[in-house]
Amino acid sequence: MYVCVCKAVTDKQIKSAISNGYCSRKDLNQCLGVGTVCGKCSPHVKQLLDEHRAQTPIMWAAA
């Protein structure tokens, strides 16, 4: 499904970028251009990021 119509970016592309370490909206803006034209996709981009964070275990650094 297209998330960002302005830049023709799909949810699969966003999920792939998130899996490859682009872990913020700013990162995704720079990588894929999402949210840089009209901004209507920003809530969905945030939702995809939140879903990824919920599924990813937190790794704690040893002191």
Side-chain angles (χ1 to χ4, degrees):
M1 168 180 80
Y2 282 97
V3 173
C4 180
V5 177
C6 298
K7 295 289 186 169
V9 179
T10 66
D11 58 337
K12 289 182 182 181
Q13 290 172 294
I14 294 171
K15 289 177 184 179
S16 177
I18 292 169
S19 294
N20 287 319
Y22 295 92
C23 296
S24 71
R25 281 190 281 179
K26 182 177 178 180
D27 289 343
L28 293 170
N29 290 351
Q30 293 173 347
C31 172
L32 300 172
V34 295
T36 59
V37 179
C38 77
K40 288 183 180 180
C41 61
S42 292
H44 195 97
V45 172
K46 181 184 181 307
Q47 179 184 355
L48 291 171
L49 283 166
D50 290 345
E51 288 172 5
H52 178 76
R53 288 181 186 131
Q55 295 172 0
T56 305
I58 298 173
M59 296 183 63
W60 299 98

